[in-house]
């Protein structure tokens, strides 16, 4: 009798001490308070907000400290989430969880902490449904992993595998596992000089570089599972400085940063239909505005932009003292927001995207033409039409 009473007392002590306990209806709660406060109501400069009765997909993984964390798979939300001991999850697996969570963020250090207050249900999620609500972004910017990729048509998340290698959760091919993370370089001649395209991938040791290059350059890897393309970013790790870091697609396309080779135009006239057009240097130099189907003002800007670069009068290079460059032109038409910029998709094609709304009260307006001057050799190597 005494032993039974002692056991009951131990259970009660655990439950009331704030450690999670299963409730009668099956869910678990931490016993921590639900806080909803702004910096005006507290002294530490932090926001406190609770999310209640949420259902989301998560991927479980181990962080750099060896703690099991959860990456949330919903557009607009921020990771990672701590389970706070309320659900039993295994790194490398995906879960659908119904929960209440405490959000705690702010301060000089840009703290973002998210942890569960209550977990109502936790079930494994099939890998083909992990991305059904998109994916959040990682607030733990000091950690190399997880590695997110948001390239259009090629979203994935990569984690260090529990037993080595890399677990890569893809939007279209489910979960894949690789033992190598590789930088593949491709020599490309641009304006008489040899440049390099760097293709960063997750793959296995046995896969040849030639296979990766052939698939990427020919744009024939839609159903590819032997490697996953990450991006074309080059980091000069040997020098230990960010000054030499750059994106090789940008370097091949324009020879300098995109913004120095782009022009944005607004028209009060008839709005053009959404589209993309590639016009070569030879066409610009040999045809009239009428022959190219361009308005005179637009043709004039394009013509002199190409001519200035061909004659080394390009202000993108040291106030006009740079090398001569033969350039083609990409004309994007549509209704672009003020934060629109050039990016590339999984097929290494350039496109314009942006999401920031206009501030009409400040006189801001959308623009309809986005003009980009690109090196002709780059356009021949990876046609952008």
């Amino acid at each position: 009798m005494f032993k039974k009473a002692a056991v009951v007392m131990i259970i009660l002590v655990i439950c009331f001490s704030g450690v999670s306990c299963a409730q009668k209806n099956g869910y678990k709660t931490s016993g921590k308070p639900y806080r909803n406060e702004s910096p005006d109501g507290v002294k530490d400069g932090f926001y406190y907000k609770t999310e209640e009765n949420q259902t989301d997909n998560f991927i479980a993984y181990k962080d750099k400290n060896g703690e099991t964390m959860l990456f949330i798979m919903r557009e607009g939300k921020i990771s990672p989430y701590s389970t706070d001991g309320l659900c039993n999850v295994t790194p490398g697996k995906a879960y659908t969880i119904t929960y209440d969570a405490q959000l705690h963020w702010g301060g000089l250090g840009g703290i973002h902490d998210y942890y569960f207050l209550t977990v109502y249900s936790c079930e494994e999620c099939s890998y083909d449904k992990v991305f059904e609500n998109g994916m959040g972004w990682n607030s733990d910017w000091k950690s190399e992993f997880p590695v997110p990729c948001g390239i259009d048509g090629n979203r994935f998340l990569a984690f260090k595998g529990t037993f080595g290698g890399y677990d890569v959760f893809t939007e279209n091919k489910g979960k894949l596992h690789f033992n190598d993370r590789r930088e593949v370089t491709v020599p490309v001649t641009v304006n008489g000089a040899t440049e390099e395209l760097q293709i960063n991938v997750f793959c296995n040791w046995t896969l040849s570089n030639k296979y990766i290059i052939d698939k990427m350059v020919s744009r024939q890897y839609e159903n590819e599972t032997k490697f996953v393309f990450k991006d074309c970013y080059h980091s000069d790790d040997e020098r230990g400085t960010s000054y030499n870091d750059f994106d090789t697609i940008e370097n091949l396309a324009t020879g300098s940063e995109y913004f120095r080779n782009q022009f944005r135009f607004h028209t009060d006239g008839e709005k053009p239909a959404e589209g993309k057009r590639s016009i070569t240097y030879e066409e610009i130099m040999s045809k009239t505005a009428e022959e190219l189907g361009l308005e005179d003002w637009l043709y004039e800007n394009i013509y002199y932009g190409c001519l200035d670069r061909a004659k080394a009068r390009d202000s993108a290079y040291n106030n006009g003292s740079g090398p001569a460059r033969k350039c083609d032109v990409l004309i994007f038409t549509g209704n672009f927001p003020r934060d629109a910029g050039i990016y590339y998709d999984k097929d290494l094609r350039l496109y314009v995207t942006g999401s920031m709304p206009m501030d009409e009260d400040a006189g801001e307006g959308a623009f309809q033409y986005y003009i980009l001057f690109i090196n002709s050799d780059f356009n021949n190597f990876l046609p952008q039409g």
Side-chain angles (χ1 to χ4, degrees):
M1 182 67 180
F2 174 77
K3 290 184 178 179
K4 183 177 180 180
V7 171
V8 172
M9 181 61 70
I10 290 172
I11 293 174
L12 289 173
V13 169
I14 292 174
C15 288
F16 285 105
S17 65
V19 178
S20 62
C21 287
Q23 306 299 305
K24 291 180 180 179
N25 51 11
Y27 63 79
K28 291 184 178 181
T29 183
S30 67
K32 294 180 180 179
Y34 284 54
R35 298 184 64 179
N36 289 283
E37 302 170 31
S38 69
D40 296 333
V42 292
K43 296 181 180 180
D44 57 7
F46 285 93
Y47 289 88
Y48 296 85
K49 178 184 176 183
T50 57
E51 291 186 333
E52 299 184 42
N53 197 28
Q54 303 287 301
T55 298
D56 286 305
N57 296 331
F58 293 86
I59 297 175
Y61 69 99
K62 280 194 175 182
D63 67 8
K64 61 183 179 182
N65 300 316
E67 182 179 353
T68 298
M69 304 295 288
L70 289 164
F71 195 100
I72 192 164
M73 301 300 290
R74 182 175 291 275
E75 206 73 34
K77 287 195 174 183
I78 306 173
S79 290
Y81 280 65
S82 171
T83 67
D84 210 27
L86 300 182
C87 55
N88 185 21
V89 295
T90 302
K93 292 187 176 182
Y95 298 87
T96 299
I97 303 174
T98 299
Y99 64 94
D100 295 342
Q102 180 70 61
L103 282 59
H104 165 223
W105 77 96
L108 294 177
I111 299 298
H112 290 83
D113 288 332
Y114 307 96
Y115 57 86
F116 290 156
L117 293 166
T118 300
V119 172
Y120 300 99
S121 66
C122 178
E123 299 177 351
E124 283 196 37
C125 173
S126 62
Y127 297 134
D128 62 341
K129 293 185 179 296
V130 170
F131 282 85
E132 62 185 357
N133 299 314
M135 68 180 186
W137 60 277
N138 188 13
S139 67
D140 186 10
W141 54 272
K142 294 182 180 180
S143 296
E144 183 183 8
F145 285 88
V147 174
C149 180
I151 288 179
D152 191 29
N154 194 48
R155 291 195 298 183
F156 72 78
L157 275 167
F159 303 84
K160 280 191 174 179
T162 304
F163 302 103
Y166 308 95
D167 291 329
V168 182
F169 293 79
T170 69
E171 186 172 18
N172 301 317
K173 305 178 185 72
K175 178 185 175 183
L176 302 171
H177 183 82
F178 302 104
N179 53 31
D180 193 15
R181 184 171 52 155
R182 192 182 304 175
E183 298 173 350
V184 180
T185 57
V186 187
V188 183
T189 300
V190 178
N191 296 315
T194 299
E195 304 284 354
E196 285 188 343
L197 169 65
Q198 180 170 304
I199 303 170
N200 302 318
V201 300
F202 288 94
C203 62
N204 286 319
W205 295 322
T206 55
L207 193 67
S208 71
N209 285 353
K210 184 179 185 306
Y211 182 91
I212 296 169
I213 294 169
D214 288 347
K215 289 288 185 178
M216 289 296 301
V217 173
S218 64
R219 294 163 169 156
Q220 294 179 351
Y221 70 105
E222 187 67 33
N223 299 312
E224 184 59 56
T225 58
K226 293 182 179 179
F227 71 90
V228 170
F229 168 58
K230 180 182 179 295
D231 57 29
C232 293
Y233 190 73
H234 169 79
S235 178
D236 195 345
D237 293 328
E238 291 183 1
R239 300 190 182 188
T241 172
S242 62
Y243 294 116
N244 296 292
D245 295 352
F246 60 93
D247 197 295
T248 60
I249 281 288
E250 178 178 308
N251 187 61
L252 291 175
T254 64
S256 60
E257 296 185 27
Y258 285 144
F259 75 90
R260 295 185 180 276
N261 289 279
Q262 68 182 17
F263 294 88
R264 309 176 183 202
F265 298 111
H266 169 80
T267 178
D268 293 322
E270 184 178 352
K271 301 296 188 286
E274 183 176 338
K276 174 183 177 182
R277 182 181 178 186
S278 174
I279 305 179
T280 66
Y281 174 84
E282 287 77 15
E283 289 175 318
I284 289 291
M285 293 294 112
S286 63
K287 295 183 178 181
T288 65
E290 184 178 5
E291 289 174 322
L292 291 172
L294 300 175
E295 295 183 60
D296 289 338
W297 65 268
L298 182 58
Y299 172 80
E300 184 175 336
N301 277 281
I302 290 173
Y303 177 86
Y304 285 107
C306 284
L307 193 61
D308 285 345
R309 286 161 174 76
K311 293 184 176 296
R313 297 197 301 250
D314 177 11
S315 61
Y317 284 92
N318 302 318
N319 296 319
S321 61
R325 297 187 298 145
K326 188 172 77 169
C327 290
D328 298 344
V329 178
L330 291 183
I331 303 176
F332 299 90
T333 53
N335 200 49
F336 305 111
R338 62 190 174 104
D339 69 330
I342 295 289
Y343 297 86
Y344 54 89
D345 61 19
K346 65 181 181 61
D347 292 322
L348 305 182
R349 283 190 171 90
L350 304 177
Y351 70 99
V352 181
T353 186
S355 60
M356 190 177 294
M358 299 295 127
D359 184 354
E360 296 181 359
D361 293 337
E364 291 180 347
F367 56 96
Q368 291 72 44
Y369 291 92
Y370 197 117
I371 311 301
L372 183 70
F373 294 93
I374 61 172
N375 293 319
S376 297
D377 290 330
F378 167 75
N379 197 22
N380 292 332
F381 178 66
L382 290 170
Q384 294 296 309

